[in-house]
């Protein structure tokens, strides 16, 4: 929970209408968009002038979220977004804890602002840019933290169906549909409370997981064909080149969840996916593990990344082939 002094100070900040900007991390996922839009719906009910500014486009499979059409995209219209940020009395940063997670352009601009920042996040090793910090690595999702934050403000009556729908989205996506070890009895109690608010949980699941295009399923098939096993190291990995992505008409968000298939194999407790991005000149990497193997530390040590103990991301600026070779060598050295 956020400490009492900070909650009291924030209650004072929010006692009168404010201009508030709410920001997710770059390449926002279900938890990032669910938490930012959930907080947005909560704040506008109390006459705050709130808006969500995403660093870049969010995936189409999240475009059904209530008010997602109102989200401003920094990379599409930096001038308008900068004006809104300059006008803001408060800036909430959700589901990340270092400003560079918004990308180089937006991160540098946020760093230049003399504003009151509020951080709500569940990743490890937070930076110190925010005046108010609610950081808890034991939480299943930032969306669960938004629920507790609203509860601490004594404003649970403002958790409408729209707020609840957004929060439930992050709960579902960041817990792997309540499969991951970060799911606690409290997580389930929060989910039950959100269902009581009238959300259509079956429809939310359908919107998130059962609206794939045919080309996305073909791309998944290719990813599974590309999967390699290192059984003696209890490791698997998947590669997808830019050419392969292009041949299956890859759209933003299409590879979401692909990495998890590598853990579904008996005897495997560590997996990775390497996705080539020619436009950005990087290899995007996702890591997943089961048990006590810390992929956050692995990503930080070797691939300029980080995240959680069992789920993390990273990147590489060398070629896809060189990146995979490097990965194999590290696995052989560290997982004997």
């Amino acid at each position: 929970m956020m400490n009492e002094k900070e909650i009291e100070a924030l209650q004072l900040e929010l006692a009168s209408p404010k201009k508030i900007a709410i920001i997710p991390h770059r390449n926002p996922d279900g938890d990032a968009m669910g938490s930012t839009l959930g907080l947005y719906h909560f704040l506008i009910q109390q006459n705050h002038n709130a808006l969500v500014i995403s660093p870049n486009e969010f995936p189409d499979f999240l475009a059904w979220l209530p008010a997602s059409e109102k989200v401003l995209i920094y990379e599409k219209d930096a001038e308008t977004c900068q004006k809104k940020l300059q006008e803001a009395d408060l800036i909430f940063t959700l589901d990340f804890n270092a400003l560079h997670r918004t990308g180089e352009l937006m991160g540098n601009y946020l760093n230049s602002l003399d504003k009151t920042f509020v951080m709500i996040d569940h990743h490890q090793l937070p930076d110190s840019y925010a005046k108010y910090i609610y950081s808890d690595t034991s939480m299943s999702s930032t969306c669960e933290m938004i629920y507790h934050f609203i509860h601490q403000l004594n404003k649970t009556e403002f958790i409408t169906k729209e707020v609840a729908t957004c929060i439930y989205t992050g709960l579902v996506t960041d817990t792997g549909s309540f499969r991951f070890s970060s799911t606690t009895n409290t997580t389930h109690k929060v989910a039950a409370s959100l269902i009581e608010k009238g959300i259509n949980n079956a429809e939310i699941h359908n919107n998130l997981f059962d609206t794939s295009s045919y080309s996305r399923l073909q791309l998944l098939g290719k990813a599974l064909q590309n999967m390699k096993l290192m059984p003696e190291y209890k490791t698997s990995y998947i590669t997808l080149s830019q050419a392969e992505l292009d041949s299956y008409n890859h759209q933003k968000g299409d590879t979401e969840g692909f990495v998890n298939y590598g853990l579904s194999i008996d005897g495997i407790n560590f997996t990775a996916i390497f996705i080539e991005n020619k436009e950005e000149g990087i290899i995007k990497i996702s890591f997943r593990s089961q048990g006590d193997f810390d992929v956050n530390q692995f990503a930080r040590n070797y691939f300029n990344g980080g995240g959680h103990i069992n789920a993390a991301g990273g990147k590489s600026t060398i070629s896809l082939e060189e990146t995979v070779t490097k990965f194999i060598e590290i696995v052989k050295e560290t997982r004997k």
Side-chain angles (χ1 to χ4, degrees):
M1 297 294 172
M2 186 175 269
N3 74 52
E4 280 187 36
K5 282 187 178 179
E6 289 196 331
I7 278 290
E8 287 172 7
L10 261 177
Q11 282 174 324
L12 280 175
E13 295 259 16
L14 296 171
S16 58
K18 294 285 190 297
K19 291 182 177 178
I20 300 173
I22 311 166
I23 303 171
H25 55 74
R26 196 168 189 277
N27 299 318
D29 54 8
D31 192 27
M33 293 308 298
S35 58
T36 51
L37 285 168
L39 183 62
Y40 163 82
H41 285 288
F42 168 72
L43 291 171
I44 60 170
Q45 293 176 77
Q46 295 158 80
N47 300 316
H48 294 296
N49 184 356
L51 78 164
V52 176
I53 302 175
S54 177
N56 63 344
E57 293 277 9
F58 52 89
D60 284 346
F61 72 85
L62 296 171
W64 60 272
L65 283 166
S68 61
E69 73 281 356
K70 295 182 179 178
V71 174
L72 297 180
I73 308 297
Y74 188 90
E75 288 187 5
K76 281 175 66 176
D77 191 356
E79 191 176 334
T80 298
C81 292
Q82 288 175 2
K83 185 172 182 291
K84 297 292 185 184
L85 288 165
Q86 285 167 7
E87 293 171 351
D89 301 304
L90 283 171
I91 299 176
F92 279 81
T93 63
L94 306 188
D95 203 35
F96 68 96
N97 59 20
L99 294 178
H100 67 81
R101 289 291 317 281
T102 60
E104 188 176 353
L105 291 175
M106 190 174 186
N108 288 339
Y109 184 74
L110 291 172
N111 259 317
S112 74
L113 291 175
D114 182 19
K115 294 289 180 181
T116 301
F117 283 88
V118 184
M119 177 204 299
I120 301 178
D121 178 65
H122 65 139
H123 296 85
Q124 294 175 325
L125 301 174
D127 282 357
S128 57
Y129 62 85
K131 180 177 180 180
Y132 302 105
I133 297 175
Y134 176 16
S135 173
D136 189 341
T137 59
S138 71
M139 284 285 166
S140 71
S141 57
T142 300
C143 276
E144 183 176 341
M145 297 176 76
I146 291 294
Y147 179 91
H148 296 308
F149 174 65
I150 294 171
H151 187 77
Q152 275 195 283
L153 290 172
N154 296 315
K155 300 278 189 182
T156 50
E157 70 272 20
F158 292 101
I159 300 180
T160 58
K161 183 179 176 182
E162 287 78 19
V163 175
T165 294
C166 294
I167 292 176
Y168 188 81
T169 295
L171 249 65
V172 169
T173 53
D174 249 34
T175 61
S177 296
F178 306 102
R179 296 194 324 269
F180 299 157
S181 59
S182 58
T183 306
T184 64
N185 62 341
T186 303
T187 310
H188 283 294
K189 287 172 184 173
V190 170
S193 171
L194 298 173
I195 292 170
E196 286 175 358
K197 295 287 185 180
I199 66 167
N200 189 333
N201 52 306
E203 186 180 334
I204 292 170
H205 278 266
N206 180 66
N207 288 339
L208 290 170
F209 305 116
D210 299 330
T211 55
S212 293
S213 65
Y214 179 59
S215 59
R216 179 183 183 271
L217 293 181
Q218 287 183 308
L219 181 61
L220 172 59
K222 184 61 182 174
L224 296 177
Q225 282 183 321
N226 288 354
M227 186 186 291
K228 299 285 190 294
L229 300 185
M230 301 173 67
E232 65 272 41
Y233 303 100
K234 298 182 177 180
T235 298
S236 67
Y237 65 90
I238 292 170
T239 59
L240 283 170
S241 69
Q242 186 69 63
E244 288 168 332
L245 295 169
D246 293 344
S247 68
Y248 292 102
N249 190 31
H250 170 256
Q251 303 296 311
K252 192 174 190 66
D254 275 357
T255 58
E256 188 80 21
F258 282 14
V259 64
N260 297 319
Y261 285 90
L263 284 183
S264 66
I265 301 165
D266 188 29
I268 299 297
N269 63 19
F270 175 44
T271 192
I273 187 169
F274 301 89
I275 301 172
E276 187 175 29
N277 187 316
K278 287 273 192 186
E279 185 183 344
E280 294 186 26
I282 61 171
I283 311 301
K284 293 185 176 181
I285 314 168
S286 290
F287 301 104
R288 297 290 184 272
S289 68
Q290 290 170 341
D292 58 4
F293 183 67
D294 188 345
V295 292
N296 167 61
Q297 202 58 53
F298 186 90
R300 284 180 180 275
N301 288 347
Y302 304 110
F303 290 101
N304 194 32
H308 308 282
I309 289 175
N310 296 124
K315 63 182 179 180
S316 169
T317 54
I318 56 179
S319 72
L320 179 60
E321 188 178 347
E322 290 171 312
T323 301
V324 171
T325 299
K326 175 184 172 182
F327 172 76
I328 292 169
E329 289 172 354
I330 294 166
V331 167
K332 288 179 176 177
E333 286 173 16
T334 60
R335 288 178 59 81
K336 293 173 183 175

